Amino acid sequence: MNMIVTIRSADAGESIFARLKALIASRPASPDAARFEARQLISMAMADTWQADSLWGAADAFHVHFDFMMQTIDINGAGDPNLRILRTKCRFYLEQVEALCQSMSRR
């Protein structure tokens, strides 16, 4: 599995990333609410594809980094300098989920 190549979609992908950005900025009321919204993002990215191990691996990695980012915000606040790295990793794994979905839908 190549996790380096980034494939961007047109409008659908941008709406997913806009929702991710809004979710991060909004600081949901609870970690559970944040996890639920993050799972919705993954569901949007996975729509209409078969479930491959690599797809779920990327999705799980997204959730782990997203949860860690939310915990970091709760503990250290939104100004923590490490959040930039975590945001980048969340975006990376969400892009990988989207890329895997796109590649599977072309088969």
Side-chain angles (χ1 to χ4, degrees):
M1 170 175 67
N2 184 353
M3 297 289 290
I4 303 301
V5 176
T6 300
I7 301 173
R8 299 183 191 274
S9 70
D11 297 329
E14 289 307 316
S15 68
I16 292 170
F17 297 120
R19 283 187 60 181
L20 175 62
K21 185 176 179 180
L23 176 62
I24 292 167
S26 72
R27 285 199 64 202
S30 71
D32 289 334
R35 279 187 208 91
F36 176 78
E37 187 64 29
R39 293 216 176 262
Q40 294 293 88
L41 292 174
I42 292 296
S43 294
M44 288 174 61
M46 288 184 186
D48 300 324
T49 61
W50 52 281
Q51 300 171 359
D53 289 340
S54 57
L55 177 61
W56 288 110
D60 288 344
F62 169 81
H63 288 298
V64 166
H65 285 88
F66 185 83
D67 285 347
F68 187 62
M69 181 174 58
M70 291 293 108
Q71 290 172 3
T72 300
I73 290 171
D74 284 344
I75 294 169
N76 299 333
D80 188 305
N82 294 318
L83 290 175
R84 191 178 124 236
I85 294 167
L86 291 170
R87 283 186 192 105
T88 300
K89 288 182 178 187
C90 282
R91 183 174 177 98
F92 171 79
Y93 286 114
L94 192 56
E95 286 175 346
Q96 297 317 305
V97 167
E98 183 184 33
L100 287 164
C101 290
Q102 287 178 359
S103 69
M104 287 185 278
S105 68
R106 291 182 186 136
R107 287 185 174 165

